[in-house]
């Protein structure tokens, strides 16, 4: 049997579709990003945050994590995992840690701000993360709540770095203008 090569567009579309199917919108993730970054930038808009979330979702690593994590959540809902994994995932066992590990792996590319922000979001369950963490209607979101925190943390860090770059560029331009004048 020949291996099927999966095009990155197919992976991205599948990851975005899975998020939608699980009731998570880009806007909800962007709202978390806004809450995390607004205190540091007066001109920040929700559109900036949406753009940053979409940029993070372009990364294959996060797309793969979304597909794996949501698949495991869905299998747990169907009681299709073997024991004791079924009970660990279905019950979101506090010492399980694989859900955080999968999500944390994708924030490393966005620096220490992303890592610390992920920890904050994992602990405080802000926005849609809190809704996903509550076990209602037989839904299992053991992996998804952490994946959303990962996306939001990465998008927040990405924005923080971009805002600093813009500030420094403006300062450099002002310095050049003063030197030239």
């Amino acid at each position: 049997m020949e291996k099927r090569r999966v095009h990155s567009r197919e992976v991205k579309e599948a990851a975005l579709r899975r998020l939608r199917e699980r009731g998570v919108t880009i806007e909800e993730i962007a709202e978390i990003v806004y809450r995390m970054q607004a205190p540091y930038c007066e001109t920040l808009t929700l559109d900036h945050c949406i753009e940053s979330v979409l940029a993070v979702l372009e990364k294959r690593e996060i797309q793969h994590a979304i597909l794996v994590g949501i698949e495991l959540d869905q299998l747990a809902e169907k009681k299709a995992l073997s024991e004791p994994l079924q009970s660990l995932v279905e019950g979101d066992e506090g010492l399980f840690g694989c859900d955080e590990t999968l999500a944390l792996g994708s924030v490393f590319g966005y620096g220490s701000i992303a890592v610390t922000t992920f920890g904050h979001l994992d602990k405080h369950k802000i926005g849609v993360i809190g809704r996903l963490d509550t076990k209602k209607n037989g839904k299992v979101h053991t992996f998804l709540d952490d994946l959303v925190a990962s996306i939001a943390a990465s998008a927040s860090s990405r924005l923080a770095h971009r805002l600093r770059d813009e500030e420094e560029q403006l300062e450099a331009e002002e310095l050049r203008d003063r030197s030239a004048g």
Side-chain angles (χ1 to χ4, degrees), residues 73-108:
D73 285 345
Q74 291 175 317
L75 288 170
E77 285 173 5
K78 296 173 185 172
K79 306 209 182 296
L81 298 172
S82 61
E83 286 296 344
L85 184 59
Q86 175 66 39
S87 294
L88 293 170
V89 175
E90 186 177 14
D92 198 1
E93 166 63 44
L95 296 177
F96 180 55
C98 292
D99 46 341
E100 284 90 0
T101 302
L102 179 65
L104 186 59
S106 61
V107 301
F108 287 131

Side-chain angles (χ1 to χ4, degrees), residues 36 104 107-108 110-124 153 157:
M36 299 309 297
L104 186 59
V107 301
F108 287 131
Y110 288 92
S112 61
I113 294 171
V115 174
T116 57
T117 302
F118 173 77
H120 175 80
L121 293 173
D122 185 43
K123 181 174 176 66
H124 296 286
S157 178

Side-chain angles (χ1 to χ4, degrees), residues 16 40-41 50 60 68 80 85 93 95 117-118 125 127 134 153 167:
L16 292 172
Y40 309 106
C41 179
I50 289 169
R60 283 187 184 95
V68 169
L85 184 59
E93 166 63 44
L95 296 177
T117 302
F118 173 77
K125 310 294 184 199
T134 334
E167 288 172 7

Side-chain angles (χ1 to χ4, degrees), residues 45-58:
T45 66
L46 191 59
D47 284 340
H48 294 128
C49 299
I50 289 169
E51 183 269 325
S52 194
V53 168
L54 290 171
V56 167
L57 289 168
E58 288 290 329

